[in-house]
Each structure stands twice: as structure tokens, then as C-alpha cells.
Amino acid sequence: MTLQQIKYILGVAESGSLNKASERLFISQPSLSSSIHDAEDELGFRIFNRTARGVEATDSGMEFIRDAGDLYARYERLMKKYTGKEIKKFSVSALYYAFARKAFVEIVNDFSDEGYDFAFREKKASMVISDVAEGKSEIGILYLSDSNRESIGNVLKSSGLTFHPLTECNAFVYLHRKHPLAETESISLDELSEYRFITFDTDDVKSFFSEEVIDRYGLNQAITVADRATELNLIEHLDGYTFLSGVFGEETSEDFVLVPLRNPDGRISHRFELGYIMKKDAARNEISLSYIDAIRRILHIAGFSC
């Protein structure tokens, strides 16, 4: 078994999905699956069980993953000791934003000859913060709103992290193009009351709305799913909806539409501040600065002021 295979196994274990791991590791899913199958054949037991929700480690797999993680960490320390160099890493954790992925691809292409170990993680807001706080990622991409600013601000402060604003955006309702409300100019929460709210991130709901609004409109009774693909499937087939910021970019599909969310007084509000988080004393090296510049450029092209 090679160190590359161990890296792949650890990547799948962290992602919980072959598809997500293949994106993070910049390898095709068939190649990743084949590499893991080869490792399982060599070991004589299954490391992962494939399920409808992704992959789960078997009992033997969990033990192997713990030992493999220790081995890979020792390998990195060995390389540092005898070459005088640390394995260069650049990782980003982000909410599900197309612009963040697009900027990351640019960075991988620009720095591919410099020996970096790259990783891109798409996660819930709380896990984005944890990744940066624990040093798994250098940069995290998320947003602040009136509803979550104080709570997230306290978590960032206690974790030694700082938030750096990039731009502002509005809340939108995300619907399938055949939804009865898809062609309206704007939608209120009252108009959504008879439709199913679907989300894969319950914490994200609290970011958009206050507890009072969540209780009043039954947003705490959402259908929760494990990933974005399932969310879109249910939105289409159940006449459902979810909420997104206006920063959606090239992910917008002709099968789905974004309709502005309005307040009862008719004004479009629910503004959010999009930005990135880093450790308070972290140095912004060349690759970090390049990634932030790439995001600013992409957002500017999309019409946002940064």
C-alpha cells in the first residue's frame, strides 16, 4: 500500500463521500474508488461501507483509519526532519459557494508546481469555523447577518479567529422553475407557508432568521437532508424551497430560480456580509493572498463590490 492510497483513504474518511473526496483530492471518482478497492483487497477487509448517504467506515476501517492517520502524520514529521522542509499545505473550508471553488481551482493551477498538498472542504458554518480554529484550513468562507453576528462573533473571538468582510448580499428563495411561485418578482415568508422548507444545514436557518421568525413561520420543522444534491431533488419533486444568499454565480441552473425574499412591508432586506476567516495572528502568505485576490476578482466580475 502506498502513502498516496493512505492519503486517499483519510480524505474519504474526512469527507464521508467519495464524490466530495474526489473533488478535494483532485482525482476522478472512478480512480479514487479503484485505489480504495485495491487497498481493501490488500488488507483483506472493507474499510468503508457504501450507503445512499455516502460512505461509512466499518469497525475494522475505523481502527485502520486511526492508525493510518498516525502513520501519515509521522511521515510528514519525518520529511520535515530530514529535508528541513514541511510539506506545504493549502486548505480552504467554505459554505457551498461556486465562487470559492472557482477561485480554489485557479490557485491549484497557479501553484501546482510548488509541491502543495491542496484540500477544499465544503461544510456547514460551524464546521468551517472548527476547521480554521483547529488548523485544518488556512481560510474559511462564510457570512454574518444580524441574526448570527453576535453568536458567531463570540465563537470567532474565543477561537482566536478574525472575520474579514468581502461584500454584502441579500437573501433569496431558491425554487424549481416549475414551482407555483417561481415567476413572482419577490416572495414573503407568508407566501411560503404552504410549501415545504428543505435544508441540509439547520444552523444556516438561524443565520438567516431570528428565533422568533423561525418559530412563527415553522422553519424549525424543515425537512433536513445530508447533502446539496438531495436537497435539490426534494425541492424539485415536493414543490419545496430553501434560502440562499445572492452570491450563487455559475451554479445557477436553468432548472432552478432565485427569487428575492421580501419583508411584509414590501422592502427587500435580509442583508448579509460575506467574508473570510483566518487565525488572528496568521501570516497572509503568497498563496493565501492570491486566493483572496481571486475571490475578489470573481465577485467583482459577478457584479459585487469588494
Side-chain angles (χ1 to χ4, degrees):
M1 183 181 301
T2 66
L3 284 168
Q4 189 67 53
Q5 284 176 298
I6 290 175
K7 178 182 176 181
Y8 289 162
I9 291 167
L10 295 176
V12 172
E14 183 176 358
S15 299
S17 161
L18 286 168
N19 184 47
K20 292 179 182 177
S22 66
E23 293 177 356
R24 279 188 48 203
L25 297 166
F26 299 95
I27 180 176
S28 70
Q29 186 170 330
S31 296
L32 179 60
S33 296
S34 177
S35 180
I36 291 176
H37 278 306
D38 289 344
E40 290 175 329
D41 288 342
E42 184 177 348
L43 291 169
F45 59 83
R46 295 184 69 85
I47 301 172
F48 300 105
N49 284 324
R50 281 69 172 174
T51 72
R53 297 169 64 90
V55 296
E56 295 179 352
T58 63
D59 290 342
S60 296
M62 289 178 66
E63 183 176 358
F64 175 80
I65 289 165
R66 286 194 296 269
D67 291 341
D70 291 340
L71 174 63
Y72 201 81
R74 289 199 297 273
Y75 160 71
E76 291 180 329
R77 291 194 295 269
L78 186 70
M79 291 297 292
K80 180 181 179 181
K81 179 178 180 180
Y82 288 102
T83 66
K85 301 178 181 178
E86 291 189 48
I87 295 177
K88 295 191 293 185
K89 296 182 179 181
F90 182 68
S91 301
V92 173
S93 293
L95 302 181
Y96 289 71
Y97 282 133
F99 72 84
R101 291 198 303 273
K102 185 175 181 180
F104 192 80
V105 170
E106 288 188 17
I107 295 306
V108 173
N109 289 332
D110 291 344
F111 289 83
S112 59
D113 295 332
E114 298 190 21
Y116 275 93
D117 188 354
F118 293 102
F120 186 82
R121 304 175 173 92
E122 292 183 316
K123 295 187 173 183
K124 300 177 181 180
S126 58
M127 298 178 71
V128 169
I129 294 172
S130 296
D131 278 359
V132 180
E134 295 170 9
K136 293 181 180 179
S137 290
E138 285 73 28
I139 295 175
I141 308 295
L142 45 74
Y143 62 83
L144 300 181
S145 69
D146 290 342
S147 298
N148 73 0
R149 189 179 301 275
E150 182 177 357
S151 60
I152 287 186
N154 290 335
V155 174
L156 294 178
K157 183 176 181 180
S158 64
S159 302
L161 306 176
T162 53
F163 178 85
H164 306 272
L166 288 168
T167 190
E168 289 188 339
C169 49
N170 287 310
F172 285 74
V173 184
Y174 194 56
L175 310 160
H176 191 264
R177 62 181 175 82
K178 294 182 180 179
H179 191 283
L181 300 176
E183 296 185 6
T184 56
E185 292 185 1
S186 63
I187 301 174
S188 70
L189 291 174
D190 284 318
E191 291 172 303
L192 292 169
S193 61
E194 62 181 285
Y195 301 103
R196 294 179 182 271
F197 173 43
I198 299 165
T199 183
F200 74 96
D201 188 353
T202 52
D203 291 339
D204 205 38
V205 182
K206 298 175 183 178
S207 300
F208 276 87
F209 307 105
S210 67
E211 292 288 350
E212 179 183 355
V213 170
I214 290 173
D215 292 340
R216 177 180 174 185
Y217 292 98
L219 300 179
N220 51 359
Q221 300 172 12
I223 297 176
T224 57
V225 296
D227 55 60
R228 182 70 80 184
T230 303
E231 182 184 47
L232 296 180
N233 184 272
L234 293 184
I235 288 173
E236 176 180 357
H237 293 99
L238 295 178
D239 270 348
Y241 69 93
T242 194
F243 300 104
L244 293 175
S245 70
V247 186
F248 201 54
E250 72 275 13
E251 278 188 308
T252 301
S253 164
E254 62 180 13
D255 292 329
F256 295 87
V257 296
L258 284 166
V259 180
L261 179 67
R262 74 171 185 272
N263 276 344
D265 60 7
R267 292 180 302 172
I268 298 173
S269 62
H270 301 298
R271 292 192 66 79
F272 303 93
E273 189 175 26
L274 180 72
Y276 64 94
I277 58 173
M278 296 183 70
K279 287 188 175 180
K280 185 177 181 179
D281 299 323
R284 300 187 193 184
N285 54 22
E286 181 184 3
I287 192 167
S288 295
L289 290 171
S290 296
Y291 179 68
I292 294 166
D293 286 344
I295 286 179
R296 292 184 187 277
R297 184 174 64 258
I298 292 168
L299 290 176
H300 179 73
I301 291 172
F304 292 90
S305 299
C306 294

